[in-house]
Amino acid sequence: IDKRALLSGTVISTNETHRSISLNDIVINNRGVLKMIEMNIYVNENLITKQRSDGVIIATPTGSTAYAMSNGCPIVSPNSNVICIVPIAPHSYGQRSVIINNTDDVLIEVNRKSKLNSQVTFDGANNLTIESPDEIVIKKAKRQLMIVHPCDYDYFDALAKKLKYEIKS
């Protein structure tokens, strides 16, 4: 049995609050219009970046091999106790992925001018998409996902096959 971390997200919009959980990632980006989004990202109430990019991905270790990986996030072992913060097409060379402890809290404030065309998506469009967010609070969920694997399952072997790594014996 493989226990996987989940993210808990609270999206605060004008007059409403939404909550959901995510296995892979929570993504904040623009909807419809291709333009950058401006946001302040805090970890444990400390401002870590004023970001200008096409968006940001907050990913679990499981999600590190999904959308986050295609944006430069490292592959993270699924039982690591971390959260990945990954900019999408940042508009500055100084904007890089940050890996934090999964006991840390993340707060994202969307700039007022960016809010109108922005959205928050939990695990892709299949789950939940919220338009025009003001703030997004993200932390490790209290629940975990339990996955049952065959006895001979090996994460790194499965990863090598999916990524078509050449492993020579």
Side-chain angles (χ1 to χ4, degrees):
I1 294 180
D2 189 4
K3 295 178 184 175
R4 299 289 178 100
L6 301 169
L7 292 176
S8 169
T10 303
V11 181
I12 302 159
S13 299
T14 307
N15 301 324
E16 46 187 356
T17 300
H18 301 273
R19 288 182 178 82
S20 190
I21 59 169
S22 177
L23 171 62
N24 289 311
D25 51 42
I26 299 172
V27 177
I28 299 95
N29 65 348
N30 276 313
R31 61 181 159 83
V33 180
L34 289 177
K35 60 191 241 183
M36 79 178 151
I37 183 172
E38 294 183 23
M39 61 193 100
N40 294 334
I41 302 176
Y42 297 83
V43 174
N44 297 332
E45 300 180 7
N46 297 304
L47 179 65
I48 64 165
T49 186
K50 291 182 176 232
Q51 185 169 296
R52 295 178 61 179
S53 65
D54 288 354
V56 66
I57 303 163
I58 311 299
T60 63
T62 301
S64 74
T65 57
Y67 188 29
M69 185 174 75
S70 68
N71 282 279
C73 184
I75 295 170
V76 178
S77 177
N79 56 3
S80 298
N81 297 318
V82 299
I83 295 172
C84 310
I85 302 172
V86 185
I88 303 169
H91 292 247
S92 167
Y93 288 120
Q95 301 294 318
R96 296 286 173 228
S97 297
V98 177
I99 307 297
I100 61 173
N101 195 298
N102 70 2
T103 59
D104 294 333
D105 293 337
V106 178
L107 168 67
I108 298 171
E109 294 175 337
V110 179
N111 177 292
R112 189 172 41 91
K113 292 178 183 176
S114 297
K115 175 185 164 184
L116 188 59
N117 293 314
S118 63
Q119 67 183 11
V120 180
T121 304
F122 291 77
D123 274 341
N126 297 332
N127 186 357
L128 177 64
T129 298
I130 301 149
E131 297 179 358
S132 304
D134 289 312
E135 291 183 352
I136 304 94
V137 178
I138 301 168
K139 57 181 139 187
K140 178 183 170 191
K142 292 178 182 169
R143 298 188 300 178
Q144 292 180 313
L145 177 68
M146 306 245 264
I147 301 172
V148 178
H149 294 291
C151 292
D152 63 345
Y153 174 81
D154 178 85
Y155 170 78
F156 290 102
D157 183 50
L159 182 66
K161 287 176 185 168
K162 285 181 186 176
L163 298 178
K164 298 180 174 38
Y165 287 164
E166 288 188 37
I167 301 176
K168 298 181 182 181
S169 11

